[in-house]
């Protein structure tokens, strides 16, 4: 494919100080020798983007920075060292923008743990812009003719929950509880769990989230806003003993304190959501004698990414999305803070 015309300026959402994002024109970046320049067509909006805006994590954020890390688009330029990606290829820019590829973690394909990793929309400019750069080794390979709007949420939300399910060690036929099931991550977690042969208990707040969760594959729904005893209700709908695994996706701290009380003995609690300042606590005696495992799961590596996309490509994952313009991301954050989002918002870079 020949050269693709590239403008000098583009529209972007830029975090210029904590809590304030500006929709403005900025220069189009040029790819480094090991990078590709991607014309972003669509970008999902993740709760992490809200944390980046607020700068409320104990992780230094670049300022100013272009937000976003679920960007799906087309490669329009590449550096001279890039041989694995071609102009015209469909790719995704993920949270993990690059890693050193030489540390002990990268050598073991655990590049998300690399101490030198660069993070899209946080330590380097992300996908809330019409053109973005990323390390060619780390962009997701998207099959030709894939709908870029619907695959965008898979690049973080889908990848993150898929990796969490792998980390849970839950086997086909077992039960997994998804906490925060009605949100963007949860809606995908239900589908991945079902596709992996698991029974799903969805947990969230609000009657309006129950039916969508069941339509996606959850077999039962626990509304923590109405339940008189969440722990006992989760156990009851999980055969009396509780689920074999729990995925904690919620942006609040309380679910992280409850999960060990309803997971079954020898079960696994996987912490994925990152509520600011939250802590995990559990009774030591109960945790020991019931042999409960509590662990964290932090996005996925390159192999996990392609596996997650493969589930999507085979029609097993249908991201429930609502498309709005890049200029409207502020409204999406407002809904996110009010816990009113069901599914995933995706930004159209053309408007």
């Amino acid at each position: 494919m020949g050269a693709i015309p590239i403008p000098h300026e583009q529209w972007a959402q830029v975090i210029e100080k904590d809590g304030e994002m500006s929709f403005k024109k900025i220069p189009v970046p040029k790819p480094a020798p090991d990078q590709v320049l991607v014309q972003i067509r669509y970008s999902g909006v993740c709760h992490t983007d809200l944390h980046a805006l607020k700068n409320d994590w104990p992780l230094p954020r670049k300022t100013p920075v272009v937000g976003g890390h679920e960007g799906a688009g087309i490669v329009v330029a590449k550096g001279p060292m890039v041989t694995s990606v071609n102009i015209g290829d469909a790719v995704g820019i993920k949270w993990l923008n690059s890693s050193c590829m030489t540390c002990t973690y990268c050598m073991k394909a655990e590049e998300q743990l690399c101490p030198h990793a660069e993070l899209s929309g946080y330590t380097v400019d992300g996908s809330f812009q019409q053109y973005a750069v990323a390390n060619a080794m780390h962009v997701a390979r998207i099959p030709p003719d894939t709908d870029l709007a619907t695959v965008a949420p898979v690049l973080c939300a889908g990848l993150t929950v898929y990796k969490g399910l792998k980390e849970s060690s839950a086997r086909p036929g077992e039960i997994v509880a998804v906490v925060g099931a009605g949100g963007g991550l949860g809606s995908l977690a239900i589908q991945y769990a079902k596709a992996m042969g698991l029974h799903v208990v969805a947990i969230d707040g609000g009657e309006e989230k129950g039916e969508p969760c069941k339509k996606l594959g959850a077999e039962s729904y626990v509304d923590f806003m109405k339940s008189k005893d969440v722990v006992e209700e989760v156990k009851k709908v999980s055969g009396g003993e509780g689920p074999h695994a729990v995925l904690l996706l919620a942006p609040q701290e309380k679910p992280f304190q409850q999960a060990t009380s309803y997971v079954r003995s020898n079960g696994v609690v996987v912490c994925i959501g990152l509520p600011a300042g939250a802590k995990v606590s559990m009774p030591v005696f109960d945790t020991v004698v019931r042999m409960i495992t509590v662990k964290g799961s932090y996005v996925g590596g390159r192999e996990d990414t392609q596996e997650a996309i493969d589930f999507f490509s085979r029609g097993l994952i249908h991201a429930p999305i609502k498309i709005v313009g890049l200029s409207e991301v502020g409204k999406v954050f407002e809904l996110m803070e009010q816990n009113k989002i069901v599914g995933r918002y995706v930004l159209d870079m053309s408007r």
Side-chain angles (χ1 to χ4, degrees):
M1 181 176 287
I4 298 176
I6 301 169
H8 296 293
E9 285 191 322
Q10 61 168 331
W11 286 101
Q13 289 282 5
V14 184
I15 300 172
E16 299 187 297
K17 63 180 182 178
D18 295 354
E20 292 188 14
M21 182 175 277
S22 299
F23 184 51
K24 60 191 290 189
K25 280 199 168 185
I26 63 172
V28 171
K30 298 184 183 302
D34 60 350
Q35 290 182 325
V36 290
L37 176 66
V38 181
Q39 182 184 20
I40 304 295
R41 301 287 177 81
Y42 297 94
S43 182
V45 185
C46 178
H47 211 279
T48 294
D49 298 316
L50 182 58
H51 286 294
L53 176 62
K54 292 181 175 181
N55 199 20
D56 60 4
W57 278 352
L59 179 67
R61 188 204 67 201
K62 173 180 176 282
T63 305
V65 68
V66 176
H69 60 276
E70 288 182 348
I74 304 297
V75 175
V76 294
K78 63 179 185 175
M81 293 173 57
V82 177
T83 59
S84 60
V85 183
N86 297 313
I87 305 297
D89 285 356
V91 300
I93 291 182
K94 309 169 296 173
W95 174 245
L96 188 62
N97 191 283
S98 69
S99 68
C100 74
M101 303 303 291
T102 59
C103 69
T104 56
Y105 299 108
C106 287
M107 294 290 282
K108 293 188 293 184
E110 296 175 341
E111 54 268 17
Q112 66 269 37
L113 302 177
C114 174
H116 309 292
E118 296 286 4
L119 310 174
S120 300
Y122 206 94
T123 63
V124 295
D125 289 340
S127 58
F128 289 170
Q129 55 183 334
Q130 293 172 313
Y131 293 84
V133 293
N135 184 283
M137 295 290 288
H138 284 283
V139 292
R141 274 58 169 177
I142 299 175
D145 302 320
T146 298
D147 185 312
L148 296 181
T150 54
V151 78
V154 174
L155 300 173
C156 177
L159 170 60
T160 298
V161 298
Y162 172 66
K163 178 65 171 178
L165 286 165
K166 289 176 69 175
E167 291 292 322
S168 78
S169 301
R171 299 176 180 179
E174 294 185 338
I175 303 168
V176 60
V178 178
V179 186
L185 271 73
S187 61
L188 290 167
I190 293 170
Q191 296 178 75
Y192 275 103
K194 183 180 178 182
M196 294 165 76
L198 301 169
H199 301 284
V200 181
V201 174
I203 305 172
D204 212 316
E207 187 177 348
E208 73 281 358
K209 294 183 179 181
E211 197 56 37
C213 286
K214 289 183 178 179
K215 285 182 179 179
L216 290 173
E219 295 177 21
S220 54
Y221 177 71
V222 176
D223 184 347
F224 70 79
M225 295 175 70
K226 285 189 172 182
S227 177
K228 295 179 180 178
D229 190 329
V230 171
V231 170
E232 288 305 315
E233 188 171 347
V234 173
K235 286 183 177 180
K236 181 180 179 180
V237 298
S238 304
E241 295 185 42
H244 298 82
V246 180
L247 259 61
L248 292 168
L249 311 175
Q252 296 87 25
E253 181 176 13
K254 188 173 181 179
F256 288 77
Q257 316 302 343
Q258 287 180 325
T260 57
S261 298
Y262 58 70
V263 71
R264 73 173 57 196
S265 295
N266 207 26
V268 180
V269 176
V270 184
C271 302
I272 296 176
L274 293 168
K279 296 183 183 299
V280 177
S281 66
M282 58 272 190
V284 173
F285 183 87
D286 198 46
T287 303
V288 172
V289 300
R290 294 180 55 223
M291 297 176 62
I292 295 169
T293 299
V294 179
K295 64 193 303 187
S297 181
Y298 175 55
V299 297
R302 290 169 294 159
E303 182 179 45
D304 301 311
T305 301
Q306 297 312 134
E307 290 173 358
I309 291 174
D310 182 62
F311 274 87
F312 174 86
S313 297
R314 286 186 285 142
L316 299 172
I317 307 298
H318 302 278
I321 64 170
K322 182 174 182 180
I323 299 175
V324 298
L326 174 62
S327 60
E328 299 177 76
V329 68
K331 296 177 183 177
V332 178
F333 285 147
E334 289 178 10
L335 293 172
M336 195 176 283
E337 290 202 273
Q338 296 165 10
N339 197 31
K340 290 183 177 179
I341 292 179
V342 177
R344 201 74 164 178
Y345 271 84
V346 172
L347 305 178
D348 179 346
M349 295 297 123
S350 68
R351 54 191 174 102

